[in-house]
Amino acid sequence: MTQRVELATVLDRFAVDGLVTDYAVAVDDGDWEAYRGLFAPDGRADYRSAGGIEGDVDQVVGWLAESMELFPMRQHLIVNRRVRFGILEQDTGDTARVQADYINPMRFAGHDGGSTAPDFVCGGRYAFGLVRTDDGWRLRHVIVQEKWRRTPRTLQQPAAT
């Protein structure tokens, strides 16, 4: 690899990492316009493993905006990012795949402004598919693979006696 190619790869890794971070911040802040802007025109997201929907960006934004009203406090922590770059066949655009683990603590809305409302925590793995566009890197797909969740005892099934 030449130094120019190595530098371009490093810059792409920074851009891809920034896009994944922007994704987490947009969801946590409920900034649905910013969320939309992260996706390529054909972008899709799949939240079915976490009890959500699969669809195009507009469908998913509608579902997220409504669902996240239950959780006024959200904080995605996305770690262990594994980035792989590729070239689209018979296309000039570059692609990337990111596999990243997440833990997502959230707080249920409470009657007292949320300070004593119970917490909900889940974790799993994201699979991001990205494509380089004229506007920079964009998400082509996001797939959530929820592996576990911890809900407040009051929301859990009572223990069998």
Side-chain angles (χ1 to χ4, degrees):
M1 246 187 221
T2 67
Q3 284 184 336
R4 183 172 287 175
V5 171
E6 289 172 355
L7 177 58
T9 301
V10 169
L11 293 174
D12 282 338
R13 287 185 73 89
F14 279 132
V16 165
D17 188 68
L19 185 65
V20 170
T21 298
D22 289 346
Y23 166 87
V25 171
V27 174
D28 289 345
D29 292 350
D31 188 345
W32 308 122
E33 286 307 308
Y35 181 92
R36 278 185 181 93
L38 300 173
F39 284 81
D42 62 345
R44 299 185 69 78
D46 184 348
Y47 292 89
R48 290 178 292 183
S49 76
I53 68 165
E54 186 278 334
D56 66 34
V57 176
D58 288 330
Q59 292 168 323
V60 170
V61 162
W63 174 78
L64 279 172
E66 183 178 332
S67 299
M68 292 299 108
E69 287 179 10
L70 294 172
F71 307 102
M73 188 288 297
R74 307 181 284 275
Q75 185 179 27
H76 281 75
L77 305 172
I78 302 179
V79 299
N80 300 336
R81 300 174 193 207
R82 178 178 286 169
V83 179
R84 300 289 183 259
F85 291 102
I87 304 294
L88 289 172
E89 290 183 22
Q90 301 176 346
D91 196 332
T92 59
D94 293 336
T95 61
R97 293 181 324 274
V98 178
Q99 174 182 298
D101 295 328
Y102 71 88
I103 184 167
N104 184 13
M106 300 183 283
R107 175 157 293 156
F108 280 99
H111 299 292
D112 65 348
S115 62
T116 60
D119 292 337
F120 172 95
V121 183
C122 59
R125 181 165 288 159
Y126 280 112
F128 295 98
L130 297 88
V131 62
R132 186 195 316 268
T133 70
D134 291 340
D135 296 320
W137 287 97
R138 295 293 181 262
L139 297 169
R140 180 166 277 161
H141 70 261
V142 175
I143 301 170
V144 175
Q145 301 160 348
E146 185 176 277
K147 294 183 176 186
W148 62 271
R149 65 173 53 183
R150 186 180 70 222
T151 58
R153 173 120 0 249
T154 58
L155 298 177
Q156 297 174 0
Q157 296 289 349
T161 55

